[in-house]
Amino acid sequence: MIAETLLKFAREEGLEEAEVYQSQTQTLRFDILDQQSRQFVVSDSSGLSLRGTRKGRCASVYSEKTDEASLQASAVQCRKLADALETEDTVLFTPGQTPMTDDRSDKTLAKHTASEKIEFMKKIEAAALKKDSRIQRVSACGYQEVASLTTLANTQGLQGTRSSTLGLITLSVIASDGKEQTNGFSWRSIKDLTSQDADELVEEAVQEAVSKLSAVRIPSGRYPAILRYDVATDLLGSLWSMFSSEQIQKDLSVLKDRQGQAVMSPLITIVDDPQLPDGFVSCDFDDEGVPNQRTVLVEKGVFKEALYDRKSALKANRVSTGNGFKNGCSSPVQISPTNLLVEPGDQSLDAMMAQMEEGVLITDLQGLHAGLNPLTTDFSLQASGFKIEKGQIAYPIHLITIAANYLEMMNSIVALGNDGRQDLNGVRCSSLYVENLAISGE
């Protein structure tokens, strides 16, 4: 209704074509500290943007108000901005015929009362403190529940709604052996208040913290290395823009002019899959109203395809892959992946370690934004993990730096794990056994 009203005002103001993007978000969040609920917040936010054309010139406005007077004011402002522009722009609106509805919401968590959710998290805090005597305190125990609704409509008949929900629990603990302190963190996406999710959350956070105690540095050198799935996921998530057609067109990607060439190990296949069941970024259409599609980016090491929105597709004489998304109402459309996945291999983490006479298992990275160059894919990052000897974990290691070129490293993969879990940005990569990795230590 709001979108239809705003489009009507846009036409009355003389805008030739117009598009409305509206988002509504409801959030519940709180923390538990010392068995008390802290920072309990319930919020309801909304916003909309209007994009309109007049005489070949396109302008955009944003508003958080949705009353009729504010909607009319937005249409007037958009028309005035378009009239004030001096240059024309290529504007693409997606035509539509049948309304699109993409409902991926789950109402299970909403059926529980706030008191039940608080008690659930109190039990998690208490369980973490009892799990191991070396756990000194719980530094964070958080709950977050988000319900979002996106509406897209334009004057060419496009109508689409997309709804989703997310439940998230997080836990951070501090362990001590009397000489040093270490931290452990874990998170889970949940659909209900289940003991299994709670137990897994506690086990992972506590185990991570206590396993780091008594860590040492190792001599510098080149080591066979396994990047645990979460580390491998972080690296891919920081470098995904190499697959953006816009970056390729601007000569800001190492994959420019390399389509059809081998760029990674034959073990590696990477896909963008918007229809992944329970995927964090699963959807039927993007923020331009283009239906999503499964796109194979890398197939058995060969670079096959890039991600396109409508603008970059027009420039390349291609069709959009359905990867045009907004980072909020006031943001422009940008290319972004949906569920970016490295297809898993066939080996467990234990099986990969068993093949290693001496090497390292990397389980944590620091400084991803400062120590990584997305243009060249070179990285130099502080890391920690475990020394592997005779196929088994020997002892924890820390204060080391790993350095490599990402594509060169992905060309030296010896084995690919069958593990992995999506991060909240929708990226997933299994554990990677790298032939050798430069490590700076003692």
Side-chain angles (χ1 to χ4, degrees), residues 124 127 131 188 194-204:
I124 288 176
K131 185 70 175 179
R188 285 291 183 276
T194 69
S195 58
Q196 179 179 344
D197 286 324
D199 292 344
E200 290 178 355
L201 185 79
V202 170
E203 175 67 28
E204 185 175 299

Side-chain angles (χ1 to χ4, degrees), residues 431-442:
S431 296
L432 303 171
Y433 187 149
V434 182
E435 187 175 15
N436 65 76
L437 190 64
I439 293 180
S440 296
E442 291 182 328

Side-chain angles (χ1 to χ4, degrees), residues 281-303:
V281 200
S282 293
C283 53
D284 289 340
F285 57 91
D286 68 7
D287 289 341
E288 295 184 294
V290 177
N292 300 117
Q293 66 178 50
R294 184 178 187 272
T295 304
V296 178
L297 305 175
V298 176
E299 185 174 23
K300 296 181 179 180
V302 176
F303 174 41

Side-chain angles (χ1 to χ4, degrees), residues 183-438:
N183 69 296
F185 174 80
S186 63
W187 64 272
R188 285 291 183 276
S189 170
I190 62 170
K191 292 186 176 182
D192 203 352
L193 307 180
T194 69
S195 58
Q196 179 179 344
D197 286 324
D199 292 344
E200 290 178 355
L201 185 79
V202 170
E203 175 67 28
E204 185 175 299
V206 170
Q207 180 59 30
E208 181 182 344
V210 299
S211 67
K212 293 178 181 178
L213 291 169
S214 304
V216 300
R217 299 183 73 183
I218 57 174
S220 299
R222 300 193 71 89
Y223 292 82
I226 297 173
L227 306 185
R228 197 174 66 182
Y229 71 87
D230 46 348
V231 169
T233 296
D234 286 344
L235 281 174
L236 177 60
S238 298
L239 291 167
W240 75 263
S241 63
M242 75 174 82
F243 299 112
S244 164
S245 58
E246 182 181 11
Q247 297 298 97
I248 292 172
Q249 290 166 0
K250 292 179 177 179
D251 200 16
L252 296 175
S253 168
V254 292
L255 297 180
K256 182 177 175 63
D257 298 325
R258 300 188 69 178
Q259 193 166 4
Q261 297 180 16
V263 296
M264 297 181 184
S265 162
L267 294 173
I268 303 298
T269 293
I270 304 176
V271 300
D272 183 64
D273 186 1
Q275 296 301 323
L276 179 73
D278 294 326
F280 288 127
V281 200
S282 293
C283 53
D284 289 340
F285 57 91
D286 68 7
D287 289 341
E288 295 184 294
V290 177
N292 300 117
Q293 66 178 50
R294 184 178 187 272
T295 304
V296 178
L297 305 175
V298 176
E299 185 174 23
K300 296 181 179 180
V302 176
F303 174 41
K304 289 290 189 178
E305 184 63 283
L307 301 176
Y308 290 87
D309 61 4
R310 293 203 65 187
K311 187 174 182 179
S312 63
L314 179 67
K315 186 174 182 179
N317 196 27
R318 302 288 297 275
V319 296
S320 171
T321 55
N323 290 95
F325 291 96
K326 285 172 168 280
N327 187 23
C329 280
S330 59
S331 302
V333 170
Q334 296 177 322
I335 294 172
S336 181
T338 58
N339 300 297
L340 185 65
L341 316 170
V342 174
E343 293 192 345
D346 58 3
Q347 296 196 35
S348 68
L349 181 58
D350 287 342
M352 288 194 289
M353 287 193 296
Q355 303 170 40
M356 188 177 287
E357 181 66 21
E358 182 181 15
V360 296
L361 170 65
I362 303 299
T363 60
D364 186 61
L365 295 177
Q366 301 281 330
L368 274 168
H369 297 292
L372 185 149
N373 186 329
L375 180 59
T376 64
T377 75
D378 292 333
F379 63 87
S380 179
L381 301 166
Q382 186 173 322
S384 59
F386 299 91
K387 183 75 186 313
I388 304 299
E389 294 179 352
K390 296 182 179 179
Q392 295 183 334
I393 290 177
Y395 49 84
I397 58 176
H398 68 166
L399 299 178
I400 61 173
T401 299
I402 63 172
N405 175 275
Y406 183 75
L407 287 187
E408 291 178 2
M409 182 191 77
M410 294 299 282
N411 258 307
S412 66
I413 301 300
V414 176
L416 178 64
N418 59 10
D419 52 0
R421 184 178 68 178
Q422 270 193 302
D423 67 11
L424 291 176
N425 294 315
V427 183
R428 186 193 73 202
C429 182
S430 302
S431 296
L432 303 171
Y433 187 149
V434 182
E435 187 175 15
N436 65 76
L437 190 64

